């Protein structure tokens, strides 16, 4: 984790105890969280790949029957040329997964259920979990003509703490907690944030905690 982000996060956590009357009991360890982005990446890229190709499936959802037409499927070179490096990577990774590792998707889905249980166990002891939203300060967008590797590197460290909740569905809210030096240019400061995660169907508690922090602190000068 970026040192400046960690310092700002720990200072923000103290606000809950010193100003808002919350009890921050302890640092909580959810060991599977370390693998959450990898699990979500497999599930997301292989699943999203099918959706991007107009092959989405499901029995308990509204199917957008005109989606394939609106997306211009099957993709032509003109559409592919306009896609970002991230979209290209998603398509290629998804195709690689289905062609070479077809069992990976099912395994990732099952592991995500176990990850959900792990978060639920922690939330069974505490009202909320707080953690840094990202592990590093935001990074400038690479030039349009930058290599795919450069484009992908700019997003590194941005989803390690968020991807797991995208997969499990736990409600989470990011709250700005101050400014930290940019890794690309220490003379430029960029926002960082704290993520509040709660139990299923308990968004109200998350919103109350976030609102209390927002009222107590001017994050731009924190």
């Amino acid at each position: 984790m970026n040192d400046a982000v960690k310092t700002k996060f720990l200072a923000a956590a103290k606000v809950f105890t010193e100003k808002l009357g919350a009890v921050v009991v302890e640092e909580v360890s959810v060991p599977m969280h370390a693998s959450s982005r990898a699990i979500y990446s497999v599930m997301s890229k292989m699943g999203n790949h099918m959706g991007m190709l107009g092959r989405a499936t499901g029995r308990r959802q509204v199917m957008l029957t005109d989606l394939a037409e609106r997306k211009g499927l099957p993709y032509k070179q003109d559409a592919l040329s306009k896609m970002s490096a991230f979209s290209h990577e998603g398509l290629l990774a998804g195709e690689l997964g289905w062609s070479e590792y077809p069992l990976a998707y099912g395994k990732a889905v099952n592991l995500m259920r176990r990850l959900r249980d792990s978060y639920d166990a922690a939330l069974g002891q505490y009202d909320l979990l707080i953690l840094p939203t990202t592990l590093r300060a935001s990074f400038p967008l690479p030039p349009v003509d930058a290599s795919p590797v450069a484009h992908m590197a700019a997003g590194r460290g941005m989803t390690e703490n968020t991807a797991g909740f995208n997969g499990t569905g736990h409600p989470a809210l990011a709250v700005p907690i101050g400014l930290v030096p940019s890794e690309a240019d220490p003379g430029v400061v960029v926002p960082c944030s704290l993520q509040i995660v709660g139990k299923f169907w308990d968004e109200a508690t998350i919103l109350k905690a976030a609102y209390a922090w927002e009222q107590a602190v001017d994050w731009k000068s924190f």
Side-chain angles (χ1 to χ4, degrees), residues 40-57 67-68 71 73-75 80 83 86-102 105:
Y40 178 74
S41 291
V42 173
M43 189 175 77
S44 173
K45 292 181 189 301
M46 292 181 72
N48 188 51
H49 170 71
M50 303 302 287
M52 290 180 73
L53 295 180
R55 300 171 184 168
T57 61
L67 180 61
K71 293 178 69 172
L73 297 174
Y75 287 128
L80 291 169
M83 288 184 180
F86 289 92
S87 294
H88 286 156
E89 189 273 340
L91 279 171
L92 291 170
E95 180 62 27
L96 176 67
W98 285 114
S99 62
E100 301 294 331
Y101 309 99
Y105 181 76

Side-chain angles (χ1 to χ4, degrees), residues 126-183:
Y126 309 105
D127 298 316
L128 299 166
L129 303 178
I130 59 173
L131 62 161
T133 306
T134 64
L135 301 184
R136 58 185 283 199
S138 58
F139 205 77
L141 289 174
V144 175
D145 59 352
S147 69
V149 173
H151 277 280
M152 298 306 296
R156 188 176 298 124
M158 295 301 176
T159 60
E160 277 75 1
N161 276 351
T162 59
F165 306 116
N166 286 342
T168 64
H170 284 89
L173 176 68
V175 180
I177 58 173
L179 301 167
V180 296
S182 167
E183 292 183 20

